[in-house]
Each structure stands twice: as C-alpha cells, then as structure tokens.
Amino acid sequence: MEQEYRNIYRRARTAAGLTQERWAEILGISVDSVKAYETGKTIPPDEIALGMSEAAGQQIYCYWHLLNKSRAASAILPELREKTLPEAVLSLLVRVQDFQRGGLQDLVRLSADGKISQDETIAFGEALAELGELITAAYELQYAKGAE
C-alpha cells in the first residue's frame, strides 16, 4: 500500500502547479522536507498533509495520506480512484441501482433472524461486497474533481 501512495505528495504539488521551492514556502517547511516526502524517505505529519490537500484544493490527498501512513486505515478503508464529478456520479448511480436490485434485499433476508448461518455466509459476503462497492463509489463522489 505504501508504495502505491508514495508519490501523492508530489501529485498534490503538481496539481497545485507549484515548484518545490514555492510549495515549501506555502507549507512553511524546507525544500529538503518536500523532497523527502516526494521520494518516500519520510511521511509528512498530518498537519503538513492537510496543508498540502488544502493548497492543492483536493481533499483526496488527505485520504490517500491516511492510507499511506496507517496500516490500520489501509486495512479498513477502501482504495479510491481519482474521478471527475460526472464519472463519480454515474458510478454511484450504477452502484445504488445494483445494490437495490440484489444486495439490499439479500442483507434484509439473510439477517432477518438475527444471525447468519453457515449456509448463508457466502450470500451474506457477496451482499456485503456490493455494499462495499457502493460505499467506495460514495467516497469517490465526495472526493471527485470538481465536487469540492
């Protein structure tokens, strides 16, 4: 996971259209710190990552920072793809419709007695996977380019 998100700090700076020197000025850090973050030698503190996200105008960098720095977060939070606003809206609509057609009804039916039997675990897992896709689509809409 860490390798995948290592260059998010460079992506934030380039999204803002700034040089390393100007980026360091805005964030109140040294150019050496910027270089260390961008090469993956160190991970910035949360306050710096938040400043990067604000300066770049995209909250998704904070989300990716959280995944980058925390194994616990990367174990429970979905991986998000950067999407445009129209892509994210369409993706969410498709996921909502899919979930309404199958996963939601399965969750209601399977959990009606208050427990999941051994025979129901596969169907329950599939319904939860659909729900996970819906949640991911909602996050991608929240962090879509143009939604902030």
Side-chain angles (χ1 to χ4, degrees), residues 1 63 66-67 70-79 132 135-136 139:
M1 181 67 66
Y63 187 95
L66 185 59
L67 291 177
S70 170
R71 287 190 325 186
S74 66
I76 62 169
L77 293 174
E79 291 186 36
I135 291 167
T136 298
Y139 271 122

Side-chain angles (χ1 to χ4, degrees), residues 71-144:
R71 287 190 325 186
S74 66
I76 62 169
L77 293 174
E79 291 186 36
L80 304 182
R81 286 189 29 235
E82 197 168 12
K83 292 185 176 180
T84 64
L85 186 57
E87 288 174 321
V89 168
L90 183 59
S91 177
L92 180 60
L93 286 174
V94 168
R95 297 292 180 224
V96 166
Q97 289 174 345
D98 288 349
F99 188 65
Q100 285 177 328
R101 273 185 278 232
L104 180 60
Q105 294 169 4
D106 288 344
L107 285 177
V108 170
R109 178 180 52 81
L110 294 168
S111 63
D113 63 357
K115 59 186 174 225
I116 304 299
S117 71
Q118 193 170 10
D119 295 341
E120 297 171 327
T121 56
I122 292 174
F124 186 72
E126 289 170 351
L128 286 180
E130 277 189 51
L131 179 59
E133 290 174 5
L134 176 60
I135 291 167
T136 298
Y139 271 122
E140 288 174 342
L141 175 58
Q142 180 176 354
Y143 298 124

Side-chain angles (χ1 to χ4, degrees), residues 4-24:
E4 184 176 345
Y5 292 102
R6 181 191 309 172
N7 291 326
I8 62 168
Y9 310 111
R10 183 179 315 137
R11 287 177 66 185
R13 177 179 59 79
T14 57
L18 299 171
T19 64
Q20 288 181 336
E21 292 76 15
R22 182 69 182 121
W23 193 239

Side-chain angles (χ1 to χ4, degrees), residues 15-41:
L18 299 171
T19 64
Q20 288 181 336
E21 292 76 15
R22 182 69 182 121
W23 193 239
E25 279 180 40
I26 288 171
L27 297 172
I29 59 176
S30 70
V31 174
D32 286 340
S33 292
V34 171
K35 289 177 183 179
Y37 302 150
E38 290 187 2
T39 59
K41 289 182 181 171

